[in-house]
């Protein structure tokens, strides 16, 4: 008979699986009408690509037996040796699948920074190499017995491993690609589509964060609550910031606030109280808004769909917030395996310092790996499409399809 925990994780996996096509919809509504299909396929095709990579080598690099606190060994290559094994109360096969979905959505996030101007083939090569050399290693460092786990860093569902790492990869990629030809003044072509994508992302994120408890317990319930309450704070604060700055609240701002809140709570969902989650979300939106509206223009990089501004910056705030708000009253693991209680819950600065170290590790590894991979690709293939293709849109130029007639 299947255990309750197994059924729970199967349901959560189904929700997380929804996130990748939902992200494709969210992104697609915000690009030019001639890039809708190319933007969507950039996200969706990565399910197949990264799933295959995960089966062959990704899982064993992330969760194989530890080598020097740096990487997993190859004892589970092609998933050898996981049949009949368990992780907590669920089979290792199911745990492997659940973690694979994290790798997929992390890869898909990157595509938002590179939309509307990158060669499809170059994108696939970059993402495949990045997943192997950055994501899998970071997953081992944080969750698989690596050095960040050893020093007591906390990342409940991938604030650093998924969001910071993907955001930084997107930042490096968009800088190396250069600005779009008509980047200024292009408004989202279909906000209702992005709204639907944001809602499905929100639903999927409940599986993403709640399922990371791996069991039907109080931590899972808390993660479910904190995920939703962070969205409450983030949506309200984004609306307020927009209202004050521009005089009008917008739907685009509201759904962007949803994502900002979801990203910010991800590392701490199973470690903080629901009220702390509201504060984390409420603070996340102004920080991400500043990154999107000021930093991008100040430094001149063209992060098409703000993967760095939302996921990278939001993930950084979420990691710091974990060091401030984490409490053992929510999760006993803080007494057992973490560097200490959060600063606002009686701890000293130990956990906060460890969280900052983990943030820097995610930032540096993803940034360096991304730069090197893209540099190597340029030796054999251009990263960017031809100017005429970019101007006319990638749907027809790269895929021979048209979304609207």
């Amino acid at each position: 008979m299947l255990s309750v925990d197994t059924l729970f994780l199967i349901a959560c996996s189904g929700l997380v699986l929804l996130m990748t096509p939902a992200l494709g919809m969210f992104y697609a509504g915000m690009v030019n009408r001639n890039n809708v299909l190319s933007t969507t396929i950039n996200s969706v095709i990565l399910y197949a690509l990264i799933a295959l990579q995960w089966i062959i080598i990704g899982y064993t690099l992330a969760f194989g037996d530890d080598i020097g606190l740096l990487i997993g060994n190859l004892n589970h290559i092609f998933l050898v040796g996981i049949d009949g094994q368990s992780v907590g109360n669920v089979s290792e096969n199911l745990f492997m699948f659940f973690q694979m979905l994290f790798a997929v959505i992390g890869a898909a996030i990157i595509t938002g920074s590179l939309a509307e101007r990158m060669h499809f083939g170059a994108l696939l090569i970059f993402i495949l190499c990045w997943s192997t050399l950055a994501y899998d290693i970071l997953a081992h460092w944080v969750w698989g017995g690596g050095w960040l786990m050893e020093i007591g860093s906390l990342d409940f569902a991938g604030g650093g491993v998924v969001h910071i790492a993907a955001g930084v990869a997107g930042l490096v990629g968009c800088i190396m690609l250069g600005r779009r030809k008509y980047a200024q003044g292009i408004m989202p072509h279909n906000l209702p589509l992005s709204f639907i994508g944001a809602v499905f992302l929100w639903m999927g994120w409940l599986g993403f964060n709640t399922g990371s408890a791996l069991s039907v317990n109080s931590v899972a319930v808390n993660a479910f609550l904190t995920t939703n309450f962070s969205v409450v704070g983030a949506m309200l604060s984004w609306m307020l910031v927009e209202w004050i700055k521009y005089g009008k609240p917008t739907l685009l701002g509201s759904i962007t606030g949803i994502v900002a809140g979801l990203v910010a709570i991800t590392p701490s969902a199973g470690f903080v109280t629901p009220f702390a989650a509201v504060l984390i979300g409420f603070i996340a939106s102004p920080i991400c808004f500043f990154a999107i509206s000021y930093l991008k223009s100040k430094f001149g990089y063209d992060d098409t769909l703000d993967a760095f501004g939302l996921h990278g910056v939001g993930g950084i705030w979420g990691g710091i917030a974990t060091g401030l708000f984490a409490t053992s009253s929510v999760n006993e693991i803080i007494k057992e395996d973490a560097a200490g209680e959060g600063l606002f819950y009686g701890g000293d600065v130990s956990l906060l310092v460890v969280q900052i170290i983990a943030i820097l590790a995610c930032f540096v590894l993803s940034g360096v790996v991304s730069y090197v991979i893209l540099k190597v690709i340029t030796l054999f293939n251009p990263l960017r499409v031809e100017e005429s293709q970019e101007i006319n849109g990638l749907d027809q130029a790269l895929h021979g399809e048209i979304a609207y007639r």
Side-chain angles (χ1 to χ4, degrees):
M1 177 180 290
L2 293 177
S3 70
V4 172
D5 289 339
T6 296
L7 294 173
F8 166 71
L9 198 59
I10 289 173
C12 287
S13 296
L15 288 172
V16 181
L17 179 58
L18 179 67
M19 290 177 70
T20 300
L23 183 70
M25 295 172 67
F26 179 70
Y27 279 169
M30 291 191 286
V31 297
N32 184 284
R33 62 187 287 117
N34 295 324
N35 291 307
V36 177
L37 303 181
S38 64
T39 300
T40 304
I41 195 173
N42 284 351
S43 293
V44 175
I45 196 63
L46 293 179
Y47 176 85
L49 183 69
I50 302 305
L52 183 60
Q53 183 270 354
W54 190 251
I55 289 170
I56 295 171
I57 197 170
Y59 180 73
T60 195
L61 292 178
F63 293 99
D65 294 341
D66 177 68
I67 300 176
L69 301 179
L70 294 175
I71 197 168
N73 68 11
L74 299 181
N75 61 324
H76 295 317
I77 192 168
F78 290 100
L79 303 185
V80 170
I82 71 171
D83 286 339
Q85 303 300 311
S86 63
V87 176
N89 296 325
V90 300
S91 71
E92 189 169 3
N93 271 316
L94 180 55
F95 173 79
M96 176 277 301
F97 182 79
F98 183 66
Q99 288 294 335
M100 180 198 79
L101 298 172
F102 282 51
V104 171
I105 191 64
I109 288 168
I110 299 172
T111 65
S113 294
L114 314 175
E116 300 191 313
R117 64 201 186 280
M118 190 169 187
H119 270 296
F120 187 61
L123 175 70
L124 295 184
I125 294 169
F126 169 55
I127 296 294
L128 181 62
C129 294
W130 178 85
S131 294
T132 305
L133 301 175
Y135 181 88
D136 296 341
I137 293 173
L138 284 173
H140 183 78
W141 287 2
V142 175
W143 297 321
W147 68 277
L148 289 176
M149 186 176 183
E150 187 72 12
I151 65 174
S153 70
L154 296 175
D155 190 347
F156 188 73
V161 178
V162 177
H163 296 288
I164 295 176
V168 170
L171 176 65
V172 172
C174 72
I175 291 173
M176 294 182 69
L177 274 173
R179 300 182 65 82
R180 288 167 291 166
K181 297 300 180 183
Y182 297 102
Q184 299 301 321
I186 297 178
M187 298 300 293
H189 91 283
N190 191 335
L191 273 177
L193 180 62
S194 290
F195 170 75
I196 294 170
V199 171
F200 282 134
L201 271 174
W202 187 352
M203 293 172 58
W205 226 294
L206 296 176
F208 190 80
N209 286 354
T210 306
S212 292
L214 300 181
S215 181
V216 181
N217 55 28
S218 62
V219 175
V221 172
N222 190 80
F224 180 85
L225 295 175
T226 55
T227 301
N228 283 293
F229 285 129
S230 181
V231 172
V232 169
M235 271 203 295
L236 286 174
S237 61
W238 200 293
M239 181 189 71
L240 289 173
V241 170
E242 272 196 332
W243 213 337
I244 293 169
K245 184 172 177 61
Y246 301 120
K248 294 179 181 179
T250 67
L251 176 62
L252 177 60
S254 297
I255 62 177
T256 305
I258 290 174
V259 177
L262 292 169
V263 170
I265 199 61
T266 293
S268 62
F271 305 126
V272 303
T273 65
F275 181 70
V278 175
L279 295 178
I280 290 170
F282 194 84
I283 296 170
S285 283
I287 293 172
C288 292
F289 183 91
F290 173 79
I292 292 170
S293 64
Y294 178 76
L295 289 183
K296 196 161 69 166
S297 59
K298 175 70 173 178
F299 293 101
Y301 59 86
D302 185 12
D303 183 356
T304 311
L305 301 174
D306 297 307
F308 177 71
L310 275 178
H311 297 273
V313 173
I316 289 170
W317 161 239
I320 293 171
T322 305
L324 299 175
F325 294 100
T327 171
S328 58
S329 65
V330 170
N331 195 328
E332 285 292 321
I333 196 175
I334 293 172
K335 286 183 178 179
E336 301 164 2
D337 299 322
E341 298 272 354
L343 187 63
F344 294 162
Y345 285 83
D348 56 23
V349 297
S350 297
L351 180 59
L352 181 59
V353 170
V354 167
Q355 291 301 106
I356 292 172
I357 291 171
I359 289 167
L360 291 174
C362 292
F363 200 105
V364 171
L365 180 66
S366 182
V368 171
V369 167
S370 299
Y371 177 79
V372 171
I373 293 170
L374 289 168
K375 271 295 185 184
V376 172
I377 292 174
T378 60
L379 298 177
F380 305 96
N381 192 72
L383 297 177
R384 190 164 179 157
V385 298
E386 296 175 3
E387 183 173 345
S388 61
Q389 294 177 318
E390 182 179 341
I391 292 172
N392 293 325
L394 304 189
D395 289 0
Q396 180 67 45
L398 300 186
H399 304 290
E401 298 176 304
I402 298 174
Y404 308 106
R405 296 186 183 278

